């Protein structure tokens, strides 16, 4: 009777169970995408030098003997191995990251174990760009840096294949069994130049050792496009190496240029300068008596490094007089100052594609005391991050535009082609004429002011120094005799390719150096000199004499209103290449008209309708429900800059559809699915 039951009633179920017993689903791991620098030099590698071993626990007759055998070959306790056999699973991983030599020894033990190669993420440049790249864990999950921020692109998508098992448990491919191909991760091409990144890190290490600072940070970017060329920080030595991330405290993984607040000090004087030039039509030869460098304001002392006597508005910035700028700014209201600080972007996140960025901090005007305004004018009582300072000074270099900092040039998807990331103008934050005046002043800072130690013969450099008392932001107190030194500059001054910022936390130089002029300026000069060694063509850009135009230096024409055919016709004879975004006529361009660039450089053009020239009005289109690609196209047709979060279809947009908008305004879209 039992035989009849098995043969007739349970036959189908038994056949199914028998088939399943000789089938096994294998997960096909995708290949993690590679990260490259702007010149396609590999910054990450996937090495298959390790293996994992696994087994079906139900096929092992003596788990204890297997555990003891493994313990003699690899560093794993037999108790830990035995515990894995009590998991309700048909496949348990017994060991990971074992070497080929260990695998060969295990095979000789005679057990039927599954051996699979495991990829191991390696960073060939070691600590160079380590914080920026971040690292992955043992399962290739991005934990920090770009590895974390772009994990959804780099990791790819798992596939699977059902394998046929023979009587010995060996796997064989049967094409009739289910199979889903894995999708390898996308590759990232960064804006970073690893050679310049190395220069920045080497000079920060040298400075930290020489000046005995607690930490240091640096940023190098293209102020015309917002592309980050190098970004680094040090919280002590040795520098963070992602190949051995477990050896470092988490503080070494932070990129201080974006994760930590600073009080900007005198670099903040650019804010009242913009207000005075634009709102009050101040002349640069307007004079103010700075006296002996000391004055009392509401019972509190304000000081200069020394007395300057009578200075012009121009020289107040050149010599960085606190007294002079406070006196000149008496006409500025609290609301004016706060609004301009917010417009310039000091209180916002820059939107850089890295985790952990902090936004600026400044109390609302209604909470200001009588000392807040004079303090903020000289960069005290306001907190921001170093990258924010760089983006504001980039606007001075590029003619008045706040750019979004970018780290990614291209994303190479394994299944859907290449995505190019274009420069993004956030908004105009100062008039072009204002930027031109400020460039002249900042060039003079280098030639005869507080930035003299950055002077390089025959190279035009513009910059500003800053020194501020260190703040314990957690306890809201200033630290006595502890300072932050800062210098931000760009070169060549009127055709800038590089903006460089250097900050050193609590320096104690051998000769008591502790100011931006004496600490950050020499570091800037060393970095700049080494970049000029790599790119000697920059000397040509620094030549402002129209009669000595070199064969490598050209002026960017005004492309506004042109079609792409007209753009190509205009740029081709100049040796320039157009990179377009959108459709229609040119409504905006980077670099701006009249800027000097090198032959072979790219000019980014934003296309739209003729009636959508910069600062004209338009109506916000409906973007929700569209794919990111279609939404980007539609937004650019309306003359909008776009910031995208997520992928798939647009589920949320800001501004809302139907709203009146200014051409060139930033549109935020959230995508999902």
């Amino acid at each position: 009777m039992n035989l009849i039951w098995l043969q007739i009633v349970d036959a189908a179920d038994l056949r199914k169970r028998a088939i399943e017993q000789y089938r096994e689903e294998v997960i096909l791991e995708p290949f993690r995408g590679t990260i490259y620098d702007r010149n396609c030099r590999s910054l990450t590698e996937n090495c298959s030098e390790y293996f994992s071993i696994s087994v079906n626990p139900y096929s092992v007759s003596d788990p204890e003997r297997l555990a003891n055998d493994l313990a003699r070959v690899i560093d794993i306790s037999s108790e830990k191995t035995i515990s894995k056999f009590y998991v309700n699973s048909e496949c348990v991983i017994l060991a990971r990251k074992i070497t080929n030599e260990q695998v060969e020894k295990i095979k000789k033990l005679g057990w039927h174990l599954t051996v699979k190669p495991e990829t191991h993420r390696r960073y060939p440049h070691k600590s160079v760009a380590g914080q920026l790249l971040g690292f992955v864990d043992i399962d290739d999950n991005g934990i920090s840096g770009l590895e974390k921020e772009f994990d959804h692109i780099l990791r790819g998508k798992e596939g699977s294949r059902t394998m046929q098992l023979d009587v010995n448990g060996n796997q064989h491919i049967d094409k009739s069994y289910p199979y889903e191909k894995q999708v390898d991760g996308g590759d990232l091409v960064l804006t970073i130049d690893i050679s310049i990144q190395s220069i920045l890190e080497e000079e920060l290490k040298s400075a930290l050792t020489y000046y005995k600072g607690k930490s240091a940070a640096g940023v190098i970017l293209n102020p015309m496009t917002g592309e980050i060329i190098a970004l680094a920080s040090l919280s002590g030595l040795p520098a963070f190496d992602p190949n051995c991330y477990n050896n470092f405290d988490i503080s070494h993984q932070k990129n201080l240029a974006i994760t930590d607040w600073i009080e900007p000090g005198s670099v903040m004087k650019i804010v009242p300068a913009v207000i005075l030039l634009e709102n009050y039509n101040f002349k640069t030869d307007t004079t103010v008596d700075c006296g002996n460098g000391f004055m009392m304001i509401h019972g509190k002392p304000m000081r200069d490094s020394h007395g300057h006597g009578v200075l012009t508005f121009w020289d107040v910035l050149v010599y960085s007089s606190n007294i002079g700028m406070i006196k000149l700014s008496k006409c500025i209201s609290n609301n004016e100052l706060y609004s301009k600080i917010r417009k310039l972007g000091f209180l916002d996140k820059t939107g850089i594609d890295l985790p952990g960025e902090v936004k600026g901090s400044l109390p609302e005007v209604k909470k200001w005391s009588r000392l807040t305004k004079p303090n903020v004018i000289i960069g005290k009582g306001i907190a921001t991050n170093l990258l924010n300072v760089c983006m504001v000074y980039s606007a001075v270099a590029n003619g008045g535009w706040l750019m979004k900092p970018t780290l990614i040039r291209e994303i190479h998807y394994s299944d859907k082609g290449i995505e190019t990331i274009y420069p993004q103008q956030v908004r105009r934050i100062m008039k072009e004429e204002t930027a031109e005046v400020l460039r002249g002043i900042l060039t003079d800072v280098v030639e005869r002011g507080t930035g003299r130690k950055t002077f390089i013969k025959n190279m035009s450099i513009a910059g500003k120094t800053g020194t501020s008392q260190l703040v314990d932001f957690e306890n809201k107190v200033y630290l006595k005799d502890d300072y932050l030194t800062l210098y931000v500059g760009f070169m060549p001054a009127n055709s800038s390719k590089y903006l460089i910022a250097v900050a050193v936390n609590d320096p104690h130089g051998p000769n008591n150096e502790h100011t931006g002029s004496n600490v950050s300026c020499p570091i800037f000069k060393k970095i700049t000199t080494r970049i000029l060694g790599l790119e000697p063509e920059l000397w040509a850009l620094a030549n402002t004499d129209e009669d000595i135009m070199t064969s490598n230096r050209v002026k960017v024409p005004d492309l506004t209103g042109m079609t792409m055919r007209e753009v190509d016709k205009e740029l081709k004879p100049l040796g320039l290449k157009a990179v377009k975004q959108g459709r229609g006529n040119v409504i905006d361009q980077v670099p701006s008209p009249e800027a000097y660039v090198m032959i072979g450089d790219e000019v980014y053009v934003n296309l739209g309708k003729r009636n959508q020239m910069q600062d004209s009005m338009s109506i916000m289109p409906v973007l929700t429900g569209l794919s990111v690609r279609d939404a980007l196209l539609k937004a650019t047709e309306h003359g909008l800059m776009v910031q995208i979060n997520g992928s798939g279809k647009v589920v949320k947009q800001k501004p809302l559809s139907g709203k009146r908008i200014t051409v060139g305004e930033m549109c935020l879209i959230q995508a999902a699915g």
Side-chain angles (χ1 to χ4, degrees):
M1 192 68 183
N2 287 339
L3 182 60
I4 294 172
W5 183 269
L6 290 171
Q7 289 178 331
I8 299 174
V9 180
D10 268 357
D13 182 57
L14 290 171
R15 276 196 300 272
K16 181 180 177 183
R17 290 169 62 184
I19 290 171
E20 289 177 350
Q21 188 173 355
Y22 288 98
R23 284 184 178 181
E24 183 175 75
E25 185 180 58
V26 176
I27 299 299
L28 304 176
E29 298 289 347
F31 198 73
R32 189 171 182 85
T34 302
I35 303 177
Y36 299 94
D37 87 336
R38 67 187 299 114
N39 298 308
C40 291
R41 290 173 288 192
S42 175
L43 306 181
T44 64
E45 295 175 351
N46 295 320
C47 304
S48 299
E49 55 192 34
Y50 295 109
F51 300 84
S52 69
I53 55 171
S54 58
V55 70
N56 183 337
Y58 301 110
S59 68
V60 179
S61 58
D62 191 346
E64 187 174 344
R65 185 167 69 85
L66 172 58
N68 290 331
D69 284 349
L70 289 177
R72 289 195 295 271
V73 178
I74 56 180
D75 185 22
I76 184 172
S77 69
S78 55
E79 291 81 7
K80 186 174 181 179
T81 301
I82 291 172
S83 68
K84 294 180 179 181
F85 283 85
Y86 296 100
V87 177
N88 185 24
S89 173
E90 293 184 358
C91 180
V92 294
I93 297 175
L94 300 177
R96 301 188 62 180
K97 304 296 181 187
I98 63 174
T99 65
N100 186 58
E101 182 182 359
Q102 291 172 321
V103 168
E104 293 304 317
K105 290 180 179 179
I106 291 170
K107 286 180 178 179
K108 292 177 182 178
L109 297 175
W111 296 95
H112 291 294
L113 306 176
T114 300
V115 179
K116 289 176 59 178
E118 283 196 316
T119 58
H120 168 67
R121 196 71 155 174
R122 196 171 75 87
Y123 303 91
H125 297 277
K126 298 182 180 178
S127 63
V128 179
Q131 293 170 330
L132 194 62
L133 295 170
F135 63 93
V136 299
D137 63 14
I138 194 172
D139 294 312
D140 270 358
N141 297 308
I143 301 301
S144 72
L146 292 169
E147 293 275 29
K148 177 180 179 180
E149 192 73 7
F150 290 91
D151 187 61
H152 60 292
I153 291 171
L154 291 164
R155 70 182 297 106
K157 183 181 178 183
E158 288 181 345
S160 63
R161 183 189 287 275
T162 301
M163 306 291 286
Q164 174 73 50
L165 300 179
D166 61 22
V167 292
N168 294 318
N170 298 313
Q171 297 175 345
H172 302 279
I173 293 177
D174 187 323
K175 292 184 178 179
S176 66
Y177 287 177
Y179 166 61
E180 182 182 358
K181 186 175 175 17
Q182 76 271 28
V183 178
D184 289 335
D187 297 333
L188 302 180
V189 179
L190 306 185
T191 59
I192 296 296
D193 184 318
I194 197 64
S195 298
I196 295 177
Q197 178 77 25
S198 298
I199 289 172
L200 176 61
E201 294 191 24
E202 287 167 12
E203 295 303 337
L204 289 181
K205 288 177 187 176
S206 176
L208 210 59
T209 302
Y210 183 80
Y211 295 108
K212 295 179 171 52
K214 290 180 181 176
S215 61
V219 181
I220 302 177
L221 58 83
N222 183 332
M224 299 296 178
T225 64
E227 290 181 316
I228 304 289
I229 309 300
L231 180 67
S233 67
L234 288 170
S235 298
L237 297 173
F240 175 71
D241 183 348
N243 291 298
C244 45
Y245 58 86
N246 283 326
N247 296 343
F248 294 87
D249 184 79
I250 194 169
S251 62
H252 287 258
Q253 300 171 23
K254 293 167 58 179
N255 204 307
L256 304 180
I258 65 168
T259 63
D260 282 32
W261 275 337
I262 61 168
E263 282 201 350
S266 289
V267 297
M268 197 71 185
K269 288 172 183 163
I270 196 174
V271 180
V274 172
I275 297 173
L276 293 172
L277 288 169
E278 295 189 347
N279 295 12
Y280 294 91
N281 297 314
F282 257 59
K283 304 299 181 185
T284 56
D285 59 358
T286 301
T287 58
V288 61
D289 186 1
C290 304
N292 62 0
F294 177 88
M295 67 183 293
M296 296 293 292
I297 299 180
H298 305 304
K300 294 291 182 180
M302 293 286 176
R303 295 182 174 87
D304 283 337
S305 58
H306 58 276
H308 292 291
V310 176
L311 291 177
T312 62
F313 169 65
W314 181 288
D315 280 350
V316 164
L317 284 167
V318 168
Y319 296 113
S320 200
S321 169
N322 293 332
I323 305 299
M325 188 54 75
I326 290 171
K327 285 186 174 182
L328 287 171
S329 302
K330 282 184 178 180
C331 58
I332 299 174
S333 71
N334 290 352
N335 284 322
E336 269 184 305
L337 182 59
Y338 182 85
S339 296
K340 181 60 71 173
I341 289 169
R342 183 162 287 285
K343 181 180 180 180
L344 292 175
F346 280 109
L347 304 183
D348 300 324
K349 292 183 180 181
T350 65
I352 190 172
D353 295 318
L354 282 174
E357 183 182 14
V358 295
K359 65 180 181 178
S361 177
L362 177 66
E364 295 179 358
V365 174
K366 62 184 178 182
K367 297 180 181 179
W368 285 19
S369 71
R370 292 188 298 172
L371 283 169
T372 302
K373 177 188 152 185
N375 277 333
V376 170
I377 281 169
I378 60 173
K380 192 173 182 179
I382 176 173
T384 189
N385 67 52
L386 180 60
L387 184 57
N388 250 328
V389 172
C390 292
M391 302 322 295
V392 175
Y393 272 78
S394 289
V396 178
N398 68 34
W401 287 99
L402 181 66
M403 303 298 295
K404 181 182 184 295
T406 56
L407 279 165
I408 312 297
R409 294 195 97 190
E410 293 177 344
I411 302 174
H412 293 230
Y413 295 97
S414 62
D415 59 342
K416 52 184 180 181
I418 299 174
E419 178 185 353
T420 302
I421 310 301
Y422 298 97
Q424 292 188 30
Q425 293 176 329
V426 180
R427 60 182 174 271
R428 178 172 284 283
I429 58 175
M430 66 184 72
K431 296 175 182 177
E432 191 167 349
E433 298 79 10
T434 303
E436 185 176 0
V437 171
L438 290 174
R439 284 197 302 274
I441 294 173
L442 297 180
T443 302
D444 217 11
V445 168
V446 173
E447 292 179 355
R448 62 186 183 88
T450 56
R452 290 189 304 278
K453 290 187 178 180
T454 65
F455 178 81
I456 298 174
K457 187 177 180 181
N458 296 327
M459 174 52 61
S460 59
I461 298 172
K464 185 72 189 75
T465 56
T467 306
S468 60
Q469 195 172 358
L470 278 177
V471 183
D472 179 345
F473 287 105
E474 186 175 342
N475 296 309
K476 298 181 180 179
V477 295
Y478 285 95
L479 303 176
K480 187 179 179 182
D481 299 326
D482 291 344
Y483 298 92
L484 174 86
T485 73
L486 176 60
Y487 184 80
V488 55
F490 45 89
M491 63 92 184
N494 289 305
S495 308
S496 298
K497 295 283 284 185
Y498 292 103
L499 178 142
I500 304 169
V502 177
V504 180
N505 191 338
D506 194 21
H508 296 278
N511 299 308
N512 195 34
E513 298 98 330
H514 65 275
T515 65
S517 296
N518 292 323
V519 176
S520 294
C521 280
I523 305 170
F524 174 97
K525 184 173 181 177
K526 288 179 181 179
I527 294 169
T528 302
T529 302
R530 292 181 67 180
I531 290 175
L532 289 170
L534 288 178
E535 301 182 33
E537 63 272 17
L538 291 171
W539 295 102
L541 278 178
N543 189 345
T544 57
D545 188 341
E546 294 291 338
D547 297 325
I548 315 177
M549 293 289 288
T550 72
S551 59
N552 293 325
R553 179 173 174 259
V554 294
K555 186 185 289 188
V556 178
D558 188 349
L559 306 173
T560 306
M562 292 185 184
T563 64
M564 270 310 296
R565 180 175 291 182
E566 292 169 332
V567 167
D568 289 334
K569 187 176 179 180
E570 186 79 18
L571 295 183
K572 192 173 181 179
L574 299 174
L576 301 177
K577 179 184 176 183
V579 180
K580 70 172 184 176
Q581 182 179 14
R583 290 188 302 197
N585 298 79
V586 177
I587 59 174
D588 198 15
Q589 67 182 80
V590 178
S592 300
E594 304 297 307
Y596 284 107
V597 296
M598 301 303 297
I599 290 175
D601 280 355
E602 294 175 335
V603 178
Y604 295 86
V605 292
N606 191 18
L607 306 178
K609 296 178 181 178
R610 280 186 177 273
N611 63 350
Q612 293 171 348
M613 302 309 173
Q614 199 66 46
D615 298 327
S616 61
M617 300 303 293
S618 183
I619 301 297
M620 184 69 192
V622 178
L623 303 179
T624 51
L626 300 178
S627 67
V628 167
R629 180 187 177 91
D630 290 342
L632 180 62
L633 190 61
K634 193 168 186 179
T636 53
E637 285 177 353
H638 282 72
L640 298 172
M641 305 305 293
V642 182
Q643 182 174 329
I644 303 167
N645 294 312
S647 58
K649 292 197 178 289
V650 178
V651 295
K652 191 176 181 181
Q653 69 178 73
K654 184 179 179 182
L656 297 175
S657 60
K659 293 273 188 181
R660 286 185 62 79
I661 51 174
T662 304
V663 172
E665 190 173 331
M666 176 61 73
C667 164
L668 305 177
I669 62 176
Q670 181 69 46

